[in-house]
């Protein structure tokens, strides 16, 4: 768990000022990254998850160190120990709320419901706070040409905006999401600094709405239709009457034909949302990325991207194919291992091998240890395999697509920057990890 600065194997290196003007490129190779991830995940399992903070640091250092921006390479200066300590501090912050929830569960239904509502509200606020502070940590650990990036603003100010915009987005079943994304990015990107140069975000909600309305219509259309029917058919009033009547008589509410039909619409809409969202997520990701990148500016400097939807689809299809191949390979290994164990325990035919459980019982404690060990090893291989494939194909893959499709216009603006930013603490990253918010 060495936190000292290390050179990344295979890193091209860079001299300031050399390289194509405005170019963004990723030069990382799959082999060295795969080796880093496999070794890291083995240590994560051996340390019961603690090593993940050092794995995150090493992986980011690899990506940053192999990414060229306007002729110079990025540098990641974060440390695994910082993330680990941030996580411990986050646990200390969250523990009183966990205790409050446990104590509330000991009371009656009304008390527990009230405590649960307060707990959820606190977690939602802290989650958005953590997302903002995690961005601050990563930016202040990013150096380019000796200039450290930074993020101003306040985490709770961002959390307030996120929650305020989430209300209309929920009430409109996602229709106002483009304006929510624009408002949050205006605050987040608008507080990003490259040294002493402040960024701005010019992306508009109306523009994103036009870009993704067809996608929203396909994915959310049935849910919208169900909601409109629920509101327009009188089913809402009927449902409220049924609930009040049931409360008065302490009986089961009867929502009637209209209410049941509306419930069917909602259920079908949610089912379609999950299915269509799964297949169309690459479209959404490509749309959002193009809109987001094209809205970033630092004075006269701007970004542009030509990322297409099909490369993103190919990336996900590659991941699905790779996981299927890995799953079949590991299944074959399990079958072969089962046959070997059965033979070692005295089985001689296919029928004997099918009765592995009985053979294990007859084989005694050593046979049981052998089977448990083989099962644990298979589980470990599955965990490491899926984690490494996801980070190689999706995480690093999208980083590569994003880099090679992006161009910096008027990059000479970066030459005006002066060092002005300081490192922030890792509390945000710790909270994001403890709450399972944010990404690897």
């Amino acid at each position: 768990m060495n936190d000292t600065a290390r050179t990344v194997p295979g890193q091209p290196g860079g001299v300031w000022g050399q390289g194509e003007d405005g170019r963004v490129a990723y030069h990382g190779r799959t082999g060295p990254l795969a080796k880093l991830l496999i070794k890291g995940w083995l240590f994560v399992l051996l340390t019961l998850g603690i090593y993940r903070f050092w794995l995150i640091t090493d992986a980011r250092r690899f990506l940053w160190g192999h990414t060229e921006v306007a002729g110079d390479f990025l540098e990641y200066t974060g440390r695994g120990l910082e993330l680990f300590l941030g996580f411990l501090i986050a646990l200390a912050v969250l523990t009183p709320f966990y205790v409050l929830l446990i104590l509330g569960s000991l009371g009656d239904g009304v008390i527990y419901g009230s405590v649960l509502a307060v707990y959820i509200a606190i977690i939602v606020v802290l989650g958005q706070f953590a997302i903002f502070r995690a961005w601050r940590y990563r930016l202040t650990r990013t150096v380019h040409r000796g200039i450290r990036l930074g993020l101003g603003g306040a985490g709770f100010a961002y959390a307030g905006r996120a929650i305020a915009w989430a209300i209309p987005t929920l009430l409109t079943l996602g229709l106002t999401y483009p304006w929510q994304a624009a408002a949050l990015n205006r605050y987040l990107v608008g507080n990003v600094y490259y040294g002493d140069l402040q960024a701005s975000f010019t992306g508009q909600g109306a523009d994103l709405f036009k870009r993704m309305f067809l996608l929203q219509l396909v994915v959310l259309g049935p849910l919208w239709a169900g909601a409109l029917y629920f509101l327009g058919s009188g089913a809402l009033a009927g449902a409220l009457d049924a609930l009040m009547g049931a409360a008065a008589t302490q009986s089961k509410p009867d929502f009637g034909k209209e209410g049941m039909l509306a419930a069917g619409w909602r259920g079908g809409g949610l089912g379609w949302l999950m299915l269509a969202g799964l297949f169309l997520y690459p479209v959404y990701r490509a749309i959002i990325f193009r809109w987001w990148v094209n809205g970033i500016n630092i004075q006269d400097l701007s970004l542009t991207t030509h990322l297409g939807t099909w490369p993103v689809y190919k990336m996900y299809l590659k991941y699905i194919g790779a996981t299927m191949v890995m799953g079949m390979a590991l299944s074959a290994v399990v079958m072969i291992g089962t046959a070997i164990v059965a033979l070692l325990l005295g089985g001689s035919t296919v029928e004997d091998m099918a009765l592995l459980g009985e053979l294990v019982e007859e084989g005694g404690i050593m046979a049981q240890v052998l089977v448990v060990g083989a099962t644990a090893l298979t589980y470990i291989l599955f965990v490491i395999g899926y984690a490494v494939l996801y980070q190689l194909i999706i995480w690093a893959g999208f980083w590569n697509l994003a880099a090679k499709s992006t161009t910096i216009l008027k990059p000479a603006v970066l030459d005006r920057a002066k060092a002005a930013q300081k490192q922030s603490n890792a509390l945000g990253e710790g909270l994001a990890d403890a709450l399972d918010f944010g990404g690897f």
Side-chain angles (χ1 to χ4, degrees):
M1 300 183 184
N2 184 12
D3 288 304
T4 58
R6 298 189 295 273
T7 57
V8 183
Q11 180 171 325
V15 179
W16 292 359
Q18 294 185 359
E20 185 178 340
D21 190 35
R23 177 189 183 194
V24 180
Y26 174 63
H27 300 282
R29 292 184 292 114
T30 301
L33 180 57
K35 181 180 178 181
L36 182 154
L37 292 173
I38 292 171
K39 182 184 74 172
W41 274 105
L42 283 171
F43 278 112
V44 168
L45 293 172
L46 290 173
T47 60
L48 302 180
I50 293 177
Y51 190 78
R52 70 182 182 272
F53 304 104
W54 283 265
L55 173 57
I56 289 171
T57 299
D58 287 342
R60 287 176 180 169
R61 188 175 291 141
F62 185 96
L63 284 194
W64 268 243
H66 287 83
T67 301
E68 179 187 357
V69 178
D72 305 305
F73 287 86
L74 299 177
E75 179 186 358
Y76 183 75
T77 62
R79 300 169 58 202
L81 183 60
E82 291 175 337
L83 297 183
F84 179 60
L85 294 177
F87 175 73
L88 294 180
I89 294 172
L91 285 183
V93 171
L94 293 173
T95 296
F97 302 116
Y98 292 145
V99 172
L100 178 65
L101 182 63
I102 294 172
L103 293 177
S105 66
L106 301 177
D108 58 28
V110 175
I111 294 177
Y112 179 66
S114 302
V115 171
L116 181 61
V118 172
Y119 174 80
I120 292 174
I122 291 172
I123 293 302
V124 169
V125 172
L126 288 179
Q128 295 302 320
F129 170 85
I131 290 173
F132 183 86
R133 291 296 298 266
W135 270 99
R136 173 173 289 171
Y137 175 82
R138 295 168 200 171
L139 286 168
T140 60
R141 297 311 188 274
T142 300
V143 177
H144 180 248
R145 297 180 178 178
I147 301 295
R148 186 177 302 278
L149 278 67
L151 180 64
F156 284 115
Y158 176 85
R161 286 170 169 80
I163 294 169
W165 271 104
I167 294 173
T169 299
L170 289 172
L171 292 176
T172 60
L173 300 179
L175 188 64
T176 61
Y177 170 75
W179 287 272
Q180 176 187 0
L184 294 181
N185 276 289
R186 274 196 298 272
Y187 187 81
L188 180 65
V189 178
N191 279 292
V192 171
Y193 285 83
Y194 180 87
D196 62 340
L197 302 181
Q198 185 173 7
S200 62
F201 187 76
T202 58
Q204 298 296 316
D207 178 44
L208 181 58
F209 178 76
K210 289 188 291 185
R211 291 172 183 244
M212 66 182 302
F213 177 70
L214 182 60
L215 177 65
Q216 285 184 304
L217 189 62
V218 171
V219 175
L220 298 172
L223 200 60
W224 291 344
L228 291 174
Y229 178 83
F230 184 68
L231 294 173
S233 65
L236 177 59
L240 292 175
D241 289 340
L243 288 172
M244 288 189 292
T249 60
Q250 294 185 349
S251 60
K252 185 178 180 180
D254 181 13
F255 295 108
K257 179 181 177 181
E258 296 294 335
M260 297 302 293
L261 186 58
W265 267 108
R266 292 196 306 276
L270 288 172
W272 174 255
L273 169 65
M274 296 175 63
L275 182 64
L278 180 65
F279 284 99
L280 295 176
Y281 180 71
V283 179
Y284 162 81
R285 194 164 186 187
I287 290 173
I288 287 291
F289 181 77
R290 288 194 296 266
W291 170 80
W292 182 71
V293 168
N294 291 329
I296 296 175
N297 301 273
I298 302 177
Q299 295 185 355
D300 296 332
L301 178 151
S302 61
L303 304 179
T304 183
T305 180
H306 59 269
L307 177 65
T309 302
W310 177 236
V312 182
Y313 258 111
K314 286 196 297 184
M315 178 185 72
Y316 280 98
L317 291 173
K318 180 180 179 182
Y319 173 68
I320 293 171
T323 55
M324 290 176 64
V325 170
M326 188 196 71
M328 289 187 292
L330 287 177
S331 298
V333 170
V334 170
M335 293 176 64
I336 294 171
T338 301
I340 293 174
V341 171
L343 289 171
L344 291 175
L345 296 177
S348 58
T349 65
V350 174
E351 289 78 9
D352 290 336
M353 295 173 192
L355 301 175
L356 181 60
E358 297 180 8
L359 292 171
V360 169
E361 291 182 3
E362 295 175 0
I365 188 65
M366 290 303 297
Q368 294 175 23
V369 170
L370 183 62
V371 170
V372 170
T375 303
L377 179 60
T378 303
Y379 174 76
I380 290 172
L381 290 175
F382 267 104
V383 170
I384 293 177
Y386 281 113
V388 170
L389 285 177
Y390 181 83
Q391 288 156 7
L392 275 179
I393 299 174
I394 303 298
W395 186 63
F398 192 81
W399 183 283
N400 179 39
L401 290 177
K404 71 181 183 181
S405 67
T406 300
T407 302
I408 304 174
L409 305 179
K410 298 185 179 179
V413 170
L414 300 178
D415 297 333
R416 308 173 193 165
K418 299 178 182 178
Q421 302 301 317
K422 297 180 180 180
Q423 295 188 147
S424 68
N425 62 54
L427 174 61
E429 284 271 8
L431 275 173
D433 190 280
L435 296 170
D436 199 22
F437 279 72
F440 183 83

